Amino acid sequence: MSQNIFLKGIAASPGVAIGQAFVCTLQTIVPTRRELPPTQLEAEVSRLYEALKTTEGQLAHLRKKLPADEHGLILEAHSLMLEDPLFVDAAVNTIREEAVNAEWAVFEVTQALLSRFDTMQNAYIRERRADVKWVSDRVQKNLDGQVFDEEEDTFTVPENSVVVADELPVAKAVFLANEKNALAFVTQGGGQTSHTSIVARAKQLPAVVGIPTLLQRIKPGDCLIVDGGLGEVCIQPDEAALVQAKLKQQQWHAQQIQAQHRAHAPAVSLDGHRVSLWGNMEFVEEVDTLLQMGAEGVGLFRTEFLLVGRDNPCSEEEQFWAYRRVLEAMQGRLVTLRTFDLGGDKLSGDSLEKFLGEPLEKEANPALGLRAIRLCLSHRELFRAQLRAALRASAYGNLQIMFPLISHMSEFYEAKRELEECRSSLSLQGIAVAKNIPVGIMVETPAAAWIADRLALEADFFSIGTNDLIQYTLAIDRQNSQVAYLYHPLHLSVLRSLRHVINAARNANIPLSVCGEIAGTPKYIAMLLGLGIRSLSMAAIQLGKAKESVQNTSLAQTQRMMETVLEKSSTEEIDAFIEAQTNAMYAHLKP
Ligand code: PEP
Ligand code: MG
């Protein structure tokens, strides 16, 4: 019987790695609490300001060494924390009110901030706690007079290392991912949307995150097998496990090579129909992976991810550079920039208020509240800055702009009017903007689906956001695990909505794609192709499998399948039928 110890975590980035544990803990610096006489307090406050200034200088230096994409921008956000009243004023007040040393004040304020992070609902924001800790530790070190050690941020990672950490702040994750000796990441904290995961996926390093007891179980130098697809880490594996892991690693590499070969072959069905496969992206850095995996364009750029994790507006200039970088990298391929989908499940509550610089009314039903285009139309400065940045960037590639959560004709008219005004003011300023920028909408509410025939007369293209379309059609909160069992893409109402939108786009002769999660899942791909969809947009990692599915699908067969499906009534019946049909279609393909 095998004695191997397996730790289970979240599968953050697929692939298999075998290497030695390189444990890099972010130690919490616990300073000594010293009480100070009143006469020394102002000198202590000055000492704190001095340390903040030194830290800012160090961050500026570090920023220069990072690519000017979102990781550079996040370091910018780190710097802004050094000016944030929640951090700075709170520490100064603690020195004055508690008559304590600056180190202790910084420690106390950081602990309070970290515990607020722990209770945040939004996983992405919660996972930014590592960044707060990193900035705070740096201030502590500067108070302590420790010399800034650049090497500390770059590490010298020994060959064949698996990086093991409690949490990795973004700067460290980027440096480590660029280290050729780092084979994989394993972290105690984090989730699917933490930077460790995002950077690992973008750099195609296997990663497992969120293993609660990780640091108690792994010692530096332990041999580890990391299976990023299964979300599993094996500690000190025996010979048999090593042989098996090496085999799996070879298979994974072979599959990747096949996927990359396929990446440059068109997705053509068995009966000769061309299907376009596009990429979804959240972070600027992902654009390179999308290209590598053969994305024919960007079908969905979730631009709101430029803003999460920061408390201050993202300036027009910062946005311009981010959009320009994506457009240039895509070398003429179409990039679909979705305007900010803020509010609801994305960025809400405290962080959104801080970001907007004004309080928002509490919402009983955020998913039905001030979200996406609704929020942008009620915060014009924010909207205009984004539209101007996008229009300016349009001169550097092939851009189309898409508005999320449209449910009224008037919202679309108003959004387009704002876009035209921005275009006119840029032209008055003599700033170049592309002549033809298609403007479309996401169809993701039942309202939009049912007036799709009218919207299609005004829109240059549609993209169906099935994640939300399903949520709103079935009245199921997509975040609520208690009703997750009711969230079903194959409910007849969803299929009928899809069919209605497809017909509307076809009659108006406008391009249509699907960019929700189902667009990258083989079983649903067959369903979408059968309904008439010919363009799908998905995460980079899904592109290879999706292409393989298309190449092994007969569209005529999926059409017949969907004709039968639309005669059925219950979701279970439909699901069982599609499952049986797709299992038969793809039985010869590797899982
Ligand atoms: C969708 O709703 O399907 C979609 C792609 O948008 P998001 O998941 O960002 O809401
Ligand atoms: Mg959506």
Side-chain angles (χ1 to χ4, degrees), residues 56 70 77 101 140 192 212 214 228 314 337 354 434 448 470 478 492 541 579:
E56 168 49 32
E70 89 278 3
N101 54 328
Q140 289 281 12
Q192 278 282 353
L214 182 73
C314 184
L337 181 147
K354 288 195 71 184
I470 297 166
R478 65 194 252 206
L492 187 58
I541 217 101
E579 181 84 30

Side-chain angles (χ1 to χ4, degrees), residues 53-253:
K53 210 168 112 198
T54 313
T55 311
E56 168 49 32
Q58 294 163 350
L59 288 177
H61 177 75
L62 207 52
R63 248 188 333 259
K64 283 200 206 109
K65 298 177 59 185
L66 284 177
D69 57 15
E70 89 278 3
H71 298 300
L73 296 183
I74 286 166
L75 276 189
E76 196 91 39
H78 283 161
S79 296
L80 287 157
M81 180 181 152
L82 299 169
E83 294 162 15
D84 190 325
L86 262 184
F87 183 65
V88 182
D89 293 2
V92 168
N93 290 344
T94 308
I95 297 176
R96 289 188 178 136
E97 284 159 21
E98 293 183 27
V100 288
N101 54 328
E103 287 86 345
W104 184 259
V106 167
F107 176 70
E108 211 175 84
V109 167
T110 307
Q111 293 309 307
L113 277 177
L114 291 180
S115 58
R116 283 184 60 178
F117 268 77
D118 289 339
T119 58
M120 299 269 188
Q121 292 245 317
N122 181 312
Y124 184 88
I125 307 281
R126 206 170 49 237
E127 288 153 12
R128 300 281 76 73
R129 73 189 300 288
D131 300 332
V132 170
K133 198 159 153 231
W134 186 73
V135 174
S136 164
D137 282 354
R138 188 156 289 287
V139 176
Q140 289 281 12
K141 284 183 190 165
N142 285 319
L143 279 167
D144 205 29
Q146 288 185 34
V147 182
F148 173 54
D149 178 7
E150 214 171 275
E151 286 307 306
E152 193 203 336
D153 285 301
T154 49
F155 287 114
T156 319
V157 182
E159 257 180 51
N160 292 329
S161 289
V162 170
V163 176
V164 175
D166 45 1
E167 295 174 273
L168 284 173
V170 63
K172 280 203 167 75
V174 176
F175 280 124
L176 286 167
N178 288 335
E179 267 278 338
K180 65 178 185 337
N181 291 343
L183 304 178
F185 289 159
V186 183
T187 64
Q188 184 153 312
Q192 278 282 353
T193 57
S194 62
H195 268 107
T196 312
S197 310
I198 290 160
V199 171
R201 281 196 294 269
K203 301 278 178 191
Q204 299 178 354
L205 288 179
V208 181
V209 302
I211 303 178
T213 54
L214 182 73
L215 293 171
Q216 293 149 34
R217 310 288 294 274
I218 293 181
K219 295 187 304 304
D222 275 355
C223 176
L224 302 178
I225 298 172
V226 182
D227 188 327
L230 287 180
E232 214 170 66
V233 178
C234 179
I235 310 173
Q236 300 285 51
D238 60 18
E239 203 44 45
L242 277 173
V243 170
Q244 216 181 355
K246 281 183 190 149
L247 195 67
K248 190 158 179 193
Q249 203 174 34
Q250 281 162 10
Q251 284 166 350
W252 167 255
H253 286 311

Side-chain angles (χ1 to χ4, degrees), residues 343-401:
D345 62 324
K346 293 286 166 55
L347 183 69
S348 50
D350 276 5
S351 18
L352 183 56
E353 286 181 359
K354 288 195 71 184
F355 178 76
L356 295 172
E358 65 181 62
L360 289 168
E361 269 182 46
K362 282 269 161 297
E363 297 186 312
N365 294 302
L368 303 180
L370 195 60
R371 177 188 162 187
I373 195 66
R374 304 169 183 180
L375 187 120
C376 282
L377 289 176
S378 65
H379 289 79
R380 295 295 172 111
E381 285 306 308
L382 170 84
F383 196 33
R384 271 179 217 133
Q386 177 167 44
L387 295 177
R388 283 177 56 92
L391 289 169
R392 284 171 55 197
S394 70
Y396 298 88
N398 193 0
L399 176 76
Q400 57 180 12
I401 295 178

Side-chain angles (χ1 to χ4, degrees), residues 287-288 291 324-333 396:
V287 72
D288 302 323
L291 277 174
R324 177 175 164 173
R325 151 103 163 84
V326 174
L327 283 159
E328 285 180 337
M330 290 307 287
Q331 300 158 17
R333 293 173 187 83
Y396 298 88

